Amino acid sequence: MHRKSKLLILLALLAPALGQSHAQAQTPWPIKAVIITTFEPGADTGDTPGEFQYWVEREHLDETLPFPGGTRALRINRTHDVLGIVTGMTLANAGPSMMALGLDPRFDLTHAYLLVAGIAGVDPNVASIGSAAWASFVVNDVNRQIDSREMPPTWPYGLFVIGAHRPNVLPVNAMTNNLYELNSKLAHWAFLQTQSTPIPDNEAMRKNREAWSSYPNAAKPPFVLEGDSYASDSYWHGAALTKYAEDWVILWTKGRGHFAMTNMEDSAIAEAVLRLDRMHKVDRNRLMVLRTASNFSMPHPGQTAIDSVNSPYINSTAYESAWLIGSTVLHKLTADWASYKDKIPGE
């Protein structure tokens, strides 16, 4: 038989298999859960861990996927149903990374639970280093500012809502919406699954708590709580700004929420999820925000704000806590996927 004829016959025989393989390659993987972290200082495995490494190593996210729309390659498990992302730090990175993930044709995220698991600064009025907070609200930081040296002497700080004329006032028609309301029933369900989980403690954390004896919650060993997220691209610090964050969260949630954790990504992630939900790419009601305390948002009594913000973080277990508490919920969701695929727990 002529060589060209043989080649044509061979191609005809292979065509169905090639077509099937192509179709399979184009079928998106149905994802059960996305682990959302914000930074990893070194490699994904084998060195000093950041937010991502424990998830990669302990949840066996062994496969690396290129992700040109983000800041770092994605990771996925062997069964291609648990996905991990590092968004990059700050609002400017986190939002675009989440949008890129939600629009990635390789993944079907319509039933995926989206779990933010990152470290944060904690309000010492609320919790201690290593503690883990499940949020029902994420509050953003778009505001008006006057330098504290120029503000009226009766003001507690120089930050207030755009459209208002003084702090702690919400105009009738606020120019910007700073509030993202999460699924509080899901958040409370997650809290109930984890509230009794022991969080690792260490000598450095115990020593640090001695300076906070006049703050009952900051002096406790680390614990799980329900508390809300305030996100800002400003790495702020100090007693006055902690009071501002407390007031700001109360103002925007109309007293339903309370400030616990400060970070630089959550509102951008929540906004991306909101837009992706409108595009029917994700379910906004499946977004969970878990933050664990790596440092306090203000200095301890007797310490200056500048000394506090410039001090290195203590050797806390915040990374360990994020994986320990977050993975407890992850495993419950995936172990009973038949129940939780279509019905969100807590509702």
Side-chain angles (χ1 to χ4, degrees):
M1 186 181 292
H2 194 276
R3 179 179 299 175
K4 185 176 181 181
S5 299
K6 289 182 177 180
L7 180 60
L8 290 172
I9 293 171
L10 179 62
L11 288 173
L13 292 171
L14 289 174
L18 291 172
Q20 184 181 18
S21 175
H22 178 73
Q24 289 173 342
Q26 297 304 305
T27 301
W29 290 326
I31 303 299
K32 296 176 181 177
V34 180
I35 307 305
I36 303 167
T37 63
T38 69
F39 77 97
E40 182 62 42
D44 289 351
T45 63
D47 58 3
T48 302
E51 288 182 352
F52 198 41
Q53 188 166 138
Y54 286 139
W55 291 99
V56 173
E57 294 176 344
R58 297 174 183 179
E59 300 305 319
H60 304 289
L61 307 182
D62 297 330
E63 187 173 338
T64 302
L65 303 174
F67 187 46
T71 63
R72 195 182 186 102
L74 302 171
R75 288 283 194 147
I76 199 164
N77 63 348
R78 180 179 55 83
T79 51
H80 296 158
D81 56 11
V82 176
L83 183 65
I85 180 175
V86 178
T87 64
M89 294 176 67
T90 74
L91 305 176
N93 280 314
S97 292
M98 280 304 299
M99 285 299 297
L101 181 66
L103 297 173
D104 196 313
R106 293 173 293 180
F107 314 114
D108 176 1
L109 304 178
T110 53
H111 290 86
Y113 290 88
L114 311 170
L115 173 59
V116 177
I119 64 170
V122 65
D123 183 347
N125 291 300
V126 174
S128 56
I129 298 298
S131 295
W134 293 102
S136 290
F137 299 96
V138 170
V139 180
N140 196 35
D141 75 331
V142 177
N143 56 38
R144 246 177 182 168
Q145 298 185 41
I146 293 176
D147 190 289
S148 60
R149 292 164 293 189
E150 299 176 279
M151 70 184 187
T154 57
W155 285 17
Y157 36 72
L159 301 99
F160 51 110
V161 178
I162 296 174
H165 301 287
R166 56 185 173 84
N168 283 319
V169 173
L170 194 61
V172 175
N173 296 309
M175 176 180 162
T176 302
N177 178 28
N178 278 308
L179 179 64
Y180 297 92
E181 188 165 352
L182 307 181
N183 184 340
S184 60
K185 293 180 180 178
L186 176 60
H188 184 62
W189 174 85
F191 166 72
L192 292 177
Q193 309 312 303
T194 55
Q195 62 178 328
S196 300
T197 305
I199 294 177
D201 201 359
N202 63 37
E203 186 57 35
M205 293 161 64
R206 286 188 285 270
K207 181 68 176 175
N208 178 267
R209 291 197 295 269
E210 294 176 1
W212 293 96
S213 58
S214 57
Y215 288 76
N217 288 323
K220 292 179 182 178
F223 60 98
V224 182
L225 65 147
E226 293 178 282
D228 298 310
S229 168
Y230 169 67
S232 172
D233 257 342
S234 297
Y235 193 118
W236 58 270
H237 192 76
L241 291 177
T242 294
K243 181 64 169 66
Y244 159 71
E246 293 170 348
D247 294 344
W248 191 253
V249 171
I250 290 171
L251 181 68
W252 282 98
T253 64
K254 295 181 169 60
R256 295 175 295 161
H258 66 277
F259 166 62
M261 299 285 179
T262 173
N263 61 86
M264 304 177 76
E265 296 87 18
D266 287 350
S267 59
I269 292 170
E271 177 65 33
V273 169
L274 182 65
R275 298 186 190 194
L276 290 166
D277 177 88
R278 294 200 299 258
M279 300 167 71
H280 307 292
K281 297 293 185 182
V282 304
D283 182 351
R284 62 179 294 189
N285 290 311
R286 295 174 182 240
L287 174 61
M288 296 177 283
V289 173
L290 172 69
R291 286 285 178 169
T292 59
S294 58
N295 60 288
F296 287 111
S297 62
M298 57 182 272
H300 62 70
Q303 186 182 34
T304 66
I306 191 65
D307 285 344
S308 177
V309 76
N310 285 330
S311 297
Y313 290 0
I314 67 167
N315 180 27
S316 75
T317 60
Y319 298 130
E320 179 85 22
S321 176
W323 171 80
L324 178 66
I325 302 304
S327 66
T328 300
V329 167
L330 171 70
H331 297 160
K332 288 181 180 293
L333 291 170
T334 55
D336 195 7
W337 187 245
S339 298
Y340 297 137
K341 177 183 177 182
D342 296 311
K343 181 176 174 57
I344 299 174
E347 294 188 343

